[in-house]
C-alpha cells in the first residue's frame, strides 16, 4: 500500500456534544406501577366471507399474567408435578424424610435462647483430660445361632436373641487395658461405627449389645478426672441408637397409602410399629444392671409416642426414681443430666420431672463430702479441689434446663434451698452459671453475701466471683450497688497470689468496670493487672486473657483521646512481648479506630500513640510474611493516615506524610496512599489559597511534587509507578509546575521499556500488553494539554513516547502496538484543532462530551484548579508549521499501521486483518477529513479489506454504513453521501 497524506477534519466539539444529548420526554405514570400485575389484551381476528368481501371482527379480553413463581405456592410447580407422578414408594420415602424433620422441629418448644448441648460438648472434651491409663471392655460377639436364621420360626428367633443377650452378659467380652486417652477415644468411635454397621446389616441384637456395653462404662470411675469426657463420648453413641430405633419404628407407619401427620398420635401408628416398639422396651427391661438399663431406656424415650399419649410423662418420673439407686454422686448427677437432656428434647413442657431431678439432687448433695467419696479420692490420689470441678458440666446443664423460662418464684426457691445447704459453693456456682443474667444481676448483693459465707475448701471464692462477673457483663445491676459490687469483688481478686487465677477473674471484671465507670476506675484496674502479671513475666502465660482485656477496653472507649489518656493503657500494651500477639493486639486497636473514629483528628496524643501502634505492625513484616497479611496491615495503616488532618496547616500535614513515609517504607500500599494524599494536599492548597501568598504556595506545591517524585521510584510494581508518575504529573501541571510535570512524564516514558511481558495479578501471571495499552491511552489524554517546551521542539513528548513504543518488544501475534498507534492518531487529530477539547484554566476543568480515553486521565487532577496553563492551541494559534509537523507524525503513524496490515495477509491472520482494517476505517471516519481524495480512497480500500476474505462481522458493517448515511445528511457532511455509494456490503451465500 502507498503512503497516504493525513488531513484531520475540523471539529466543533460543542455542536457534537449537543447532538449527543438524550432528548427529555415527559413520562405520565397514571395508574402505572412497576409492581402491579401486567394486563395483556388479546385480540382475535376472524375472517368472514360475505358477498365476496373479507371483513374482520375482533374481540378483546384482559387477563393478568400469572407469576411463574407464585405457582410454587399452590403445588403446581414442575418439581411438584414430577413428584406427583413418581413411584408411590419413592414418594413415601421422601415424605417420610421431610416429615421426620418437621416432627423434630415442631415437637420442640425450646427457643434459640436456650444453649444447646452441642455447644458444651467440645468444651467438656477439651477441659477434662487425663494422662492416666484407661481400660475398656470390647464386645467380641457370639457366632452361635447365626446360621440358618432365615428359616427359624418366630419363637425360635425370640429365644435365640434372648440367648445372645444372656451370652453377652455372661462374659463374651474382652477387656483392653493400658489405653491412652486418644486410644480410648478411638475405641469408642469404633464402637459407634460398629453400632451403625450392625444396624445397617439388620443385626439389631448386636447393636443393642454394643449400646449396653458402652452404657456400662459410665459406672466406671476408676480414672475419675476423665469421667465428664467419657460421659460425652458414650452419650453420643446412645443418641445414635435412640435415633436409629425411632426412625425404624416411624418407617413402619408409612406405606404407599398413608403417611403419619405432622403431629401424630398413638392411634395413627399401626400394630406392627407398636409391637416393634414394645419389643424394644421389653428387651431393655431385661437388662440386669441398673445403669445400662436406665441409659438405654432413656435413649429411646421418644418412642413412647407410638404407644401412648401419656407414655413419656409416665416414664420420666420412673426414670427419675431409678437414678436414686445409683450410689456414686458423680455417676448419679450425670445420669440426671442425661435424663434432663432427653426430657428437654422430647417433652420440654414437662417441667415437673426436671424440678424433681433438681430437688432429688439436693437431697443427695451431702454425699459429695461424705466418707465414701473421700475414701475413693484417697485411693485415686485426687484432692477435693480437683474433684469438685468434675460436677459443673452436669449441674450447670440440670440448672439450665430447670431455669429455662421458669417463673421467678421457682428460681428464688431454688436459690434459697441451695443457700440452706452447707458447703454450697458448688451449687452457688451452678446457679450463677445457669440462671438468667437479669435474675442474678438484680440480686448481686445477695449473691455477694452468699459468696462471703461459703467455705473455700474445695471450691475457691474467686471462681464464684468470676461467675458473678460473667452475669454482670450481660445484665446491669442496680445503679446504687454498682460501686460496692466492684469493691467487694476486687478485694477478693487482688489478693489472689496465683497469676492464672488472678487473670481469669480480672479479665471478666474489666468489662464490668469499663461498662459502668470512668477512665479513672479503668486505669486503676489496668494498673493492678500490670502489678500482678509483671513479676516473673507471668504475662507470658496469659496472653489470651490479656488480649481479651484490651478488646473489652477498646470496645467501650470509642473516644480515642480518652482511651490514650488512660495512664496505664500504653504500659499495659508493653506486656505483649511476643511479636505475633503484639501485632494482633495492634490490629484490634487500629480496627476499632477505623470503625469508630468519625471525624479526622490532629490530636497529638492520638497521633503519637497510633503511630507507635502502626509502627509495631509495620516492623513485623519480613520476607516470610504472607501477602494477605501485608494487605491487612496496609489497610489498617492507610485507614489511620486518611483520618489525620491538620486543617489548613498544610506544612504540618506534609511533615506528617514525610514522617509516615520513613516509618512505613516496607509496605508498598501505604506508600501509594501517601503519594495520593500528598497529591490531594497539593490540589487542596491551590484551591484554598486562591492566589494569596503565591510564592509561598508555589514553594509548598513544589515540595509536594518533590515528595512524590522521590517516593515513586521506591515502589516495586511497574504499573503502580507508571500510573503514579502520570497522576503526579497531572497534579504538577494543574498547579503550573510545568518543568516538574515534564520530569514526571519523561520518567513515565523512560519506564515503559521496562514493562515485562507477564505480570503477577492476584497470584496469577497474566500478559501485560492490555494494561500497557490502557495506561498509554490515559497518557495520551494528558499529553493533549501539555504545552511544548521551548527548547525541545514541537510535540517532543509525543515523539519520545512514539520512539519508545516503536522499540518495545511486542508479542509475535499481538495487535496492541497498532491499537496504540490508532490512539496516537486520535491524539494528533485532536491536537490539530483550533481549540482543544479541554484545558486547565481559571474556571476549572470543563469539557464537552468525548471518549473516556481522552479525558479520564485529567479529570481528577485538574478539577478545582485556579491556575491557568496554556496548551499548544494557545501557544501555536493554528500555526501552519505546527500543523505540518503534526500531519507528518500522522503520516508516519499511518504508515506503521498499514505496514502491519500487510503482514496479516496470511490465512491464520485474516480475521485479525479484517478487524484491524475496520477499526482503522472507523478512526479515519471519526477524525480524518474525507474530502481529501487520497484519504477517501484509503477508507474505501480499508472497507474492502475488511470484507475481502469473508471475515467481517456483517451486522457491524451494516450498522457502520447506516451511520455514514445518517451523518451525510448533516450540512457539513454531504461528502459522505458519495462515500456511502462506494462502500458495498458483502453478501454471503
Amino acid at each position: 500500500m502507498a503512503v497516504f497524506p493525513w488531513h484531520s477534519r475540523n471539529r466543533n466539539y460543542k455542536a457534537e456534544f449537543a447532538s449527543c444529548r438524550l432528548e427529555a420526554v415527559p413520562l405520565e405514570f397514571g395508574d402505572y406501577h412497576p409492581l402491579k400485575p401486567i394486563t395483556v389484551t388479546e385480540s382475535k381476528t376472524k375472517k368472514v366471507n360475505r358477498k365476496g368481501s373479507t371483513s374482520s371482527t375482533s374481540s378483546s379480553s384482559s387477563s393478568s399474567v400469572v407469576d411463574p413463581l407464585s405457582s410454587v405456592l399452590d403445588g403446581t410447580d414442575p418439581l411438584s408435578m414430577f413428584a406427583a407422578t413418581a413411584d408411590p414408594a419413592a414418594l413415601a420415602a421422601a415424605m417420610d424424610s421431610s416429615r421426620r424433620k418437621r416432627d423434630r422441629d415442631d415437637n420442640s418448644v425450646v427457643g434459640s435462647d436456650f444453649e444447646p448441648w452441642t455447644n458444651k460438648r467440645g468444651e467438656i472434651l477439651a477441659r477434662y483430660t487425663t494422662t492416666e491409663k484407661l481400660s475398656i471392655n470390647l464386645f467380641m460377639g457370639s457366632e452361635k445361632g447365626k446360621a440358618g436364621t432365615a428359616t427359624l420360626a418366630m419363637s425360635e428367633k425370640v429365644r435365640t436373641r434372648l440367648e445372645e443377650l444372656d451370652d453377652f452378659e455372661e462374659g463374651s467380652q474382652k477387656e483392653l487395658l493400658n489405653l491412652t486417652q486418644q486410644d480410648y477415644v478411638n475405641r469408642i468411635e469404633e464402637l459407634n461405627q460398629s453400632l451403625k454397621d450392625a444396624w445397617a446389616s439388620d443385626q439389631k441384637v448386636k447393636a443393642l449389645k454394643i449400646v449396653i456395653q458402652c452404657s456400662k462404662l459410665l459406672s466406671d470411675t476408676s480414672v475419675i478426672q476423665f469421667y465428664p469426657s467419657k460421659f460425652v463420648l458414650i452419650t453420643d453413641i446412645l443418641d445414635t441408637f435412640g435415633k436409629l430405633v425411632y426412625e425404624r419404628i416411624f418407617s413402619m407407619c408409612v406405606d404407599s397409602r398413608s403417611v403419619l401427620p405432622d403431629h401424630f398420635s398413638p392411634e395413627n401408628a399401626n400394630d406392627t410399629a407398636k409391637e416393634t416398639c414394645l419389643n424394644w422396651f421389653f428387651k431393655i427391661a431385661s437388662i440386669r444392671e441398673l445403669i445400662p438399663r436406665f441409659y438405654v431406656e432413656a435413649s429411646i424415650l421418644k418412642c413412647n409416642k407410638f404407644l401412648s399419649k401419656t407414655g413419656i410423662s409416665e416414664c420420666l418420673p420412673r426414670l427419675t426414681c431409678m437414678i436414686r439407686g445409683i450410689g456414686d454422686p458423680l455417676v448419679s448427677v450425670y445420669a440426671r443430666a442425661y435424663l434432663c437432656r432427653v426430657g428437654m428434647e422430647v417433652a420440654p413442657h414437662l417441667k415437673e420431672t426436671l424440678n424433681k431431678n433438681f430437688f432429688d439432687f439436693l437431697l443427695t448433695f451431702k454425699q459429695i463430702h461424705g466418707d465414701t467419696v473421700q475414701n475413693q479420692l484417697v485411693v485415686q490420689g485426687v484432692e477435693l479441689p480437683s474433684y469438685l470441678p468434675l460436677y459443673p458440666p452436669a449441674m450447670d446443664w440440670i440448672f439450665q434446663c430447670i431455669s429455662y423460662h421458669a417463673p421467678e418464684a421457682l428460681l428464688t426457691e431454688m436459690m434459697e434451698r441451695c443457700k440452706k445447704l452447707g458447703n454450697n459453693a458448688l451449687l452457688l456456682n451452678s446457679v450463677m452459671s445457669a440462671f438468667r443474667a437479669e435474675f442474678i444481676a438484680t440480686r448481686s448483693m445477695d449473691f455477694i453475701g452468699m459468696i462471703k459465707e461459703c467455705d473455700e475448701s474445695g471450691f475457691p471464692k474467686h471462681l464464684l466471683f468470676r461467675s458473678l462477673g460473667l452475669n454482670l457483663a450481660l445484665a446491669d445491676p442496680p445503679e446504687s450497688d454498682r460501686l460496692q459490687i466492684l469493691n467487694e469483688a476486687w478485694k477478693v481478686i487482688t489478693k489472689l497470689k496465683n497469676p492464672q487465677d488472678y487473670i481469669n477473674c480480672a479479665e471478666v471484671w474489666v468489662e464490668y468496670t469499663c461498662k459502668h465507670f470512668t477512665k479513672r476506675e479503668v486505669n486503676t484496674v489496668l494498673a493492678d493487672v500490670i502489678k500482678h502479671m509483671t513479676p516473673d513475666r507471668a504475662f507470658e502465660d496469659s496472653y489470651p486473657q490479656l488480649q481479651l482485656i484490651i478488646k473489652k477496653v477498646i470496645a467501650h472507649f470509642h473516644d480515642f483521646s480518652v482511651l490514650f489518656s488512660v495512664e496505664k493503657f500504653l504500659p499495659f500494651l508493653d506486656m505483649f512481648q511476643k511479636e505475633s500477639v503484639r501485632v494482633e493486639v495492634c490490629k484490634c486497636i487500629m480496627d476499632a479506630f477505623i470503625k469508630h473514629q468519625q471525624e479526622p483528628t490532629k490530636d497529638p496524643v492520638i497521633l503519637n500513640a497510633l503511630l507507635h501502634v502502626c509502627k509495631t505492625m509495620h516492623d513485623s513484616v519480613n520476607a516470610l510474611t504472607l501477602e494477605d497479611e501485608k494487605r491487612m496491615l496496609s489497610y489498617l495503616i492507610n485507614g489511620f493516615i486518611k483520618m489525620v488532618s491538620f486543617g489548613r496547616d498544610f506544612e504540618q500535614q506534609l511533615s506528617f506524610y514525610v514522617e509516615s513515609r520513613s516509618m512505613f517504607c516496607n509496605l508498598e500500599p501505604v506508600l501509594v496512599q501517601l503519594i495520593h494524599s500528598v497529591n490531594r494536599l497539593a490540589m487542596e492548597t491551590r484551591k484554598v489559597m486562591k492566589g494569596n501568598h503565591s510564592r509561598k504556595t508555589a514553594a509548598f506545591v513544589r515540595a509536594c511534587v518533590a515528595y512524590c517524585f522521590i517516593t515513586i521510584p521506591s515502589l516495586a510494581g511497574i504499573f503502580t509507578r507508571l500510573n503514579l508518575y502520570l497522576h503526579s504529573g497531572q497534579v504538577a501541571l494543574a498547579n503550573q509546575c510545568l518543568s516538574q510535570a515534564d520530569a514526571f512524564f519523561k520518567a513515565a516514558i523512560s519506564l515503559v521499556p521496562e514493562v515485562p511481558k507477564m505480570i503477577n495479578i492476584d497470584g496469577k501471571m497474566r500478559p501485560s500488553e492490555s494494561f500497557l495499552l490502557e495506561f498509554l491511552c490515559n497518557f495520551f489524554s494528558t499529553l493533549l494539554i501539555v504545552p511544548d517546551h521551548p527548547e525541545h521542539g514541537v510535540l517532543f513528548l509525543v515523539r519520545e513516547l512514539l520512539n519508545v513504543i516503536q522499540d518495545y518488544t511486542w508479542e509475535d501475534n499481538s495487535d496492541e502496538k497498532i491499537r496504540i498507534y490508532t490512539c496516537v492518531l486520535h491524539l494528533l487529530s485532536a491536537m490539530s484543532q483550533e481549540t482543544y477539547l479541554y484545558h486547565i484554566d481559571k474556571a476549572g476543568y470543563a469539557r464537552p462530551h468525548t471518549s473516556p480515553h481522552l479525558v479520564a486521565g485529567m479529570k481528577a487532577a485538574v478539577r478545582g484548579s485556579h491556575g491557568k496553563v496554556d496548551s499548544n492551541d494557545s501557544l501555536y494559534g493554528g500555526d501552519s508549521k505546527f500543523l505540518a509537523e503534526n500531519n507528518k507524525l500522522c503520516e508516519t503513524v499511518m504508515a506503521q499501521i498499514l505496514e502491519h496490515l500487510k503482514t496479516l495477509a496470511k490465512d491464520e491472520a485474516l480475521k485479525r486483518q479484517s478487524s484491524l482494517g475496520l477499526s482503522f476505517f472507523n478512526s479515519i471516519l471519526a477524525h480524518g477529513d474525507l474530502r481529501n481524495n487520497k484519504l477517501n480512497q484509503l477508507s474505501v480500500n480499508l472497507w474492502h479489506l475488511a470484507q475481502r476474505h469473508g471475515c467481517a462481522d456483517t451486522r457491524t458493517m451494516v450498522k457502520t454504513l447506516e451511520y455514514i448515511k445518517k451523518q451525510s445528511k448533516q450540512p457539513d457532511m454531504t461528502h459522505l453521501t458519495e462515500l456511502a455509494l462506494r462502500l458495498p456490503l458483502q453478501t454471503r451465500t
Side-chain angles (χ1 to χ4, degrees):
M1 293 183 183
V3 175
F4 293 86
W6 175 263
H7 295 271
S8 299
R9 73 182 180 92
N10 295 324
R11 307 284 294 273
N12 186 338
Y13 291 119
K14 290 184 178 180
E16 290 182 26
F17 180 65
S19 67
C20 293
R21 286 185 182 275
L22 295 176
E23 183 180 357
V25 179
L27 178 63
E28 296 181 2
F29 284 94
D31 294 332
Y32 169 76
H33 190 278
L35 298 183
K36 288 184 66 175
I38 302 172
T39 301
V40 179
T41 301
E42 298 178 357
S43 296
K44 298 180 180 179
T45 303
K46 183 178 181 180
K47 294 183 178 179
V48 181
N49 292 327
R50 183 175 297 175
K51 294 183 181 181
S53 65
T54 303
S55 64
S56 63
T57 61
S58 65
S59 62
S60 64
S61 61
S62 297
S63 61
S64 295
V65 176
V66 178
D67 180 6
L69 296 181
S70 64
S71 60
V72 177
L73 302 177
D74 58 13
T76 60
D77 64 287
L79 292 180
S80 298
M81 295 173 66
F82 173 77
T85 60
D87 179 71
L91 174 60
M95 296 180 70
D96 172 42
S97 175
S98 64
R99 293 194 185 282
R100 276 205 309 271
K101 182 180 184 301
R102 285 206 298 267
D103 185 53
R104 284 195 294 270
D105 293 341
D106 294 341
N107 273 337
S108 176
V109 296
V110 176
S112 59
D113 55 340
F114 183 84
E115 185 180 9
W117 174 257
T118 52
N119 288 9
K120 300 177 179 292
R121 182 183 179 279
E123 182 183 348
I124 295 172
L125 290 174
R127 179 179 177 186
Y128 296 96
T129 59
T130 183
T131 57
E132 294 188 35
K133 297 299 181 181
L134 302 163
S135 62
I136 188 172
N137 290 325
L138 281 181
F139 167 64
M140 300 303 294
S142 175
E143 298 298 328
K144 65 180 181 179
K146 289 187 179 179
T149 54
T151 60
L152 292 177
M154 181 60 67
S155 59
E156 289 294 325
K157 287 184 179 180
V158 173
R159 185 165 58 251
T160 299
R161 289 178 177 176
L162 291 175
E163 288 175 355
E164 289 177 358
L165 284 175
D166 289 339
D167 176 61
F168 165 71
E169 294 197 355
E170 288 171 2
S172 60
Q173 310 168 57
K174 178 181 178 181
E175 185 175 17
L176 297 179
L177 304 175
N178 297 323
L179 298 177
T180 64
Q181 177 181 318
Q182 188 57 49
D183 292 337
Y184 189 92
V185 172
N186 293 340
R187 296 294 182 183
I188 295 295
E189 290 176 353
E190 289 175 9
L191 286 173
N192 199 357
Q193 187 59 45
S194 298
L195 167 65
K196 296 176 183 178
D197 294 342
W199 193 272
S201 59
D202 203 29
Q203 299 182 53
K204 304 298 189 294
V205 172
K206 180 179 179 182
L208 179 59
K209 290 179 180 180
I210 293 173
V211 175
I212 295 172
Q213 170 188 315
C214 292
S215 301
K216 283 186 175 183
L217 297 175
L218 292 176
S219 62
D220 177 22
T221 59
S222 56
V223 183
I224 203 165
Q225 299 96 326
F226 186 65
Y227 191 85
S229 292
K230 182 198 294 188
F231 170 81
V232 169
L233 297 170
I234 300 302
T235 52
D236 284 348
I237 295 178
L238 289 166
D239 293 341
T240 301
F241 177 72
K243 181 179 178 182
L244 291 172
V245 173
Y246 181 83
E247 291 180 354
R248 166 68 175 160
I249 299 172
F250 190 94
S251 65
M252 294 178 176
C253 301
V254 180
D255 55 33
S256 59
R257 294 166 294 176
S258 64
V259 178
L260 281 184
D262 292 343
H263 298 284
F264 71 89
S265 63
E267 290 76 15
N268 300 122
N270 56 37
D271 293 339
T272 304
K274 290 181 178 179
E275 183 180 352
T276 304
C277 186
L278 279 172
N279 186 33
W280 276 109
F281 280 110
F282 289 155
K283 287 178 182 177
I284 293 169
S286 68
I287 300 174
R288 298 173 186 174
E289 296 184 26
L290 172 61
I291 290 178
R293 185 167 71 250
F294 162 79
Y295 273 106
V296 179
E297 182 174 355
S299 70
I300 66 166
L301 181 66
K302 189 176 181 180
C303 295
N304 280 282
K305 292 175 59 177
F306 298 103
L307 301 176
S308 169
K309 290 182 179 180
T310 61
I312 293 176
S313 61
E314 292 171 355
C315 284
L316 278 173
R318 179 173 55 80
L319 291 171
T320 300
C321 293
M322 286 175 63
I323 298 175
R324 296 175 182 176
I326 301 176
D328 191 311
L330 185 65
V331 178
S332 171
V333 74
Y334 276 93
R336 295 188 190 281
Y338 185 69
L339 184 60
C340 289
R341 186 177 132 208
V342 174
M344 287 295 287
E345 290 174 359
V346 302
H349 57 285
L350 299 176
K351 287 297 187 86
E352 286 300 321
T353 303
L354 298 176
N355 299 346
K356 190 174 182 61
N357 268 284
F358 169 72
F359 291 115
D360 276 3
F361 169 69
L362 291 186
L363 293 174
T364 61
F365 180 72
K366 293 181 180 179
Q367 292 180 349
I368 295 176
H369 299 278
D371 293 339
T372 303
V373 172
Q374 298 299 322
N375 293 336
Q376 182 185 9
L377 296 181
V378 170
V379 170
Q380 294 199 31
V382 177
E383 299 290 337
L384 189 63
S386 300
Y387 173 70
L388 291 181
L390 301 176
Y391 283 84
M395 291 173 58
D396 291 354
W397 181 257
I398 296 171
F399 282 41
Q400 177 185 331
C401 293
I402 297 169
S403 63
Y404 182 68
H405 289 179
E408 287 213 1
L410 176 60
L411 299 181
T412 304
E413 180 187 358
M414 293 171 62
M415 188 178 77
E416 292 298 327
R417 292 282 294 270
C418 294
K419 186 176 180 180
K420 292 177 182 178
L421 291 174
N423 297 320
N424 62 353
L426 192 61
L427 288 172
L428 192 58
N429 186 69
S430 290
V431 166
M432 291 189 290
S433 298
F435 281 19
R436 293 189 295 272
E438 294 79 9
F439 179 88
I440 305 296
T442 55
R443 298 165 177 79
S444 298
M445 292 307 301
D446 294 337
F447 277 95
I448 287 177
M450 287 188 282
I451 292 173
K452 286 182 176 180
E453 295 174 2
C454 285
D455 183 4
E456 281 208 80
S457 62
F459 205 92
K461 288 182 180 180
H462 71 266
L463 294 181
L464 299 177
F465 274 107
R466 185 179 190 278
S467 297
L468 178 61
L470 289 171
N471 282 280
L472 296 182
L474 300 174
D476 298 336
E479 187 172 355
S480 58
D481 295 339
R482 290 175 184 174
L483 182 58
Q484 187 178 356
I485 291 170
L486 179 60
N487 289 333
E488 293 290 346
W490 210 259
K491 283 179 186 177
V492 176
I493 296 172
T494 195
K495 292 178 182 178
L496 294 173
K497 303 299 183 184
N498 186 298
Q500 281 300 314
D501 292 342
Y502 171 84
I503 197 62
N504 286 335
C505 284
E507 170 259 315
V508 171
W509 281 89
V510 163
E511 183 166 6
Y512 175 79
T513 309
C514 294
K515 194 174 182 181
H516 299 296
F517 299 98
T518 65
K519 68 175 186 178
R520 175 174 170 270
E521 288 78 11
V522 173
N523 189 64
T524 302
V525 170
L526 294 181
D528 195 60
V529 173
I530 295 172
K531 176 183 175 183
H532 279 77
M533 302 307 295
T534 303
D536 300 324
R537 300 177 68 86
F539 54 77
E540 292 182 343
D541 299 320
S542 306
Y543 284 138
Q545 294 91 335
L546 295 174
Q547 282 181 271
L548 286 174
I549 291 176
I550 286 291
K551 289 179 180 179
K552 290 173 180 178
V553 171
I554 61 179
H556 288 87
F557 284 83
H558 296 166
D559 187 340
F560 277 75
S561 61
V562 175
L563 176 63
F564 289 123
S565 66
V566 176
E567 182 183 351
K568 294 299 181 180
F569 183 77
L570 292 179
F572 190 93
L573 293 181
D574 291 338
M575 287 196 294
F576 295 98
Q577 305 263 319
K578 187 177 180 181
E579 184 182 64
S580 59
V581 179
R582 185 168 66 251
V583 171
E584 286 301 316
V585 171
C586 291
K587 286 161 67 175
C588 288
I589 295 172
M590 293 310 305
D591 186 61
F593 176 79
I594 293 172
K595 186 182 297 182
H596 299 297
Q597 185 71 22
Q598 301 297 324
E599 299 293 334
T601 182
K602 61 177 180 179
D603 188 327
V605 175
I606 295 178
L607 297 188
N608 289 333
L610 292 185
L611 278 173
H612 171 72
V613 170
C614 291
K615 177 66 172 171
T616 300
M617 294 192 299
H618 169 270
D619 291 348
S620 68
V621 176
N622 55 45
L624 301 179
T625 305
L626 298 177
E627 288 301 319
D628 285 345
E629 178 70 6
K630 290 181 181 178
R631 275 193 290 270
M632 172 57 69
L633 296 178
S634 299
Y635 164 77
L636 295 173
I637 297 174
N638 284 341
F640 163 62
I641 291 172
K642 292 175 184 177
M643 293 305 296
V644 176
S645 174
F646 290 89
R648 294 196 175 188
D649 190 349
F650 300 124
E651 292 184 0
Q652 184 65 31
Q653 189 80 34
L654 183 59
S655 297
F656 170 77
Y657 291 145
V658 171
E659 182 181 4
S660 298
R661 180 179 62 184
S662 65
M663 296 179 71
F664 310 128
C665 57
N666 289 332
L667 290 173
E668 184 161 312
V670 178
L671 295 178
V672 172
Q673 175 62 45
L674 287 170
I675 293 171
H676 284 305
S677 297
V678 171
N679 279 328
R680 280 195 296 270
L681 180 63
M683 296 304 299
E684 185 70 16
T685 304
R686 195 57 133 175
K687 179 180 179 180
V688 171
M689 299 308 262
K690 297 181 181 179
N692 297 331
H693 311 293
S694 56
R695 290 186 179 179
K696 184 176 180 181
T697 303
F700 179 79
V701 170
R702 285 196 293 273
C704 292
V705 170
Y707 177 102
C708 298
F709 194 79
I710 293 171
T711 308
I712 292 173
S714 64
L715 304 176
I718 185 80
F719 282 101
T720 302
R721 280 182 281 161
L722 283 171
N723 287 309
L724 286 175
Y725 274 132
L726 177 58
H727 181 237
S728 300
Q730 292 166 349
V731 171
L733 188 64
N735 284 279
Q736 302 180 23
C737 299
L738 301 184
S739 60
Q740 287 84 352
D742 284 348
F744 279 115
F745 297 144
K746 288 180 180 179
I749 293 172
S750 65
L751 195 59
V752 169
E754 298 180 20
V755 175
K757 297 294 182 293
M758 306 291 288
I759 57 174
N760 189 316
I761 304 292
D762 295 331
K764 296 181 179 179
M765 300 303 294
R766 299 185 184 278
S768 64
E769 289 189 356
S770 60
F771 298 96
L772 182 57
L773 172 63
E774 180 183 3
F775 165 76
L776 290 174
C777 287
N778 288 331
F779 198 179
F780 296 149
S781 69
T782 302
L783 292 179
L784 174 63
I785 55 174
V786 177
D788 281 342
H789 195 285
E791 299 178 0
H792 294 113
V794 177
L795 303 177
F796 75 103
L797 285 176
V798 177
R799 293 177 187 276
E800 285 189 21
L801 187 55
L802 283 174
N803 291 335
V804 169
I805 295 170
Q806 177 65 28
D807 295 339
Y808 186 81
T809 305
W810 301 89
E811 294 290 340
D812 293 338
N813 296 320
S814 170
D815 299 320
E816 300 296 346
K817 180 179 179 180
I818 302 308
R819 292 191 176 92
I820 292 172
Y821 279 146
T822 304
C823 292
V824 172
L825 204 59
H826 301 166
L827 168 64
L828 294 173
S829 175
M831 284 181 163
S832 68
Q833 305 301 313
E834 289 186 8
T835 302
Y836 288 172
L837 180 58
Y838 45 82
H839 298 87
I840 300 174
D841 53 30
K842 293 182 179 179
Y845 177 64
R847 59 173 178 85
H849 177 78
T850 187
S851 164
H853 283 309
L854 290 176
V855 299
M858 285 300 297
K859 181 178 178 182
V862 301
R863 179 171 291 167
S865 173
H866 296 275
K868 185 180 188 306
V869 176
D870 290 328
S871 300
N872 285 339
D873 57 343
S874 300
L875 295 179
Y876 294 113
D879 181 75
S880 59
K881 292 183 179 179
F882 172 76
L883 294 178
E885 289 292 331
N886 185 293
N887 289 338
K888 284 183 181 179
L889 273 180
C890 289
E891 292 168 7
T892 303
V893 171
M894 286 176 62
Q896 292 287 337
I897 296 174
L898 295 174
E899 185 65 29
H900 184 77
L901 286 173
K902 276 185 181 181
T903 64
L904 298 179
K906 302 174 184 177
D907 291 343
E908 66 275 8
L910 293 177
K911 191 170 183 179
R912 289 166 52 202
Q913 185 188 56
S914 173
S915 175
L916 285 176
L918 182 60
S919 175
F920 190 26
F921 171 86
N922 287 328
S923 294
I924 294 175
L925 180 65
H927 300 280
D929 185 358
L930 291 175
R931 288 173 297 189
N932 179 276
N933 292 333
K934 291 186 176 181
L935 202 58
N936 191 296
Q937 183 60 46
L938 174 60
S939 65
V940 173
N941 293 345
L942 290 170
W943 181 268
H944 286 287
L945 179 66
Q947 299 183 96
R948 180 175 300 168
H949 301 286
C951 298
D953 182 355
T954 304
R955 185 177 179 183
T956 303
M957 303 294 285
V958 169
K959 286 185 176 295
T960 303
L961 187 57
E962 289 175 355
Y963 170 79
I964 294 172
K965 291 177 179 179
K966 181 180 178 181
Q967 290 294 103
S968 68
K969 296 178 182 179
Q970 297 184 19
D972 57 342
M973 292 288 186
T974 55
H975 59 280
L976 294 182
T977 303
E978 181 186 353
L979 176 65
L981 296 175
R982 301 175 64 193
L983 302 179
L985 286 173
Q986 183 184 47
T987 58
R988 295 187 179 183
T989 56

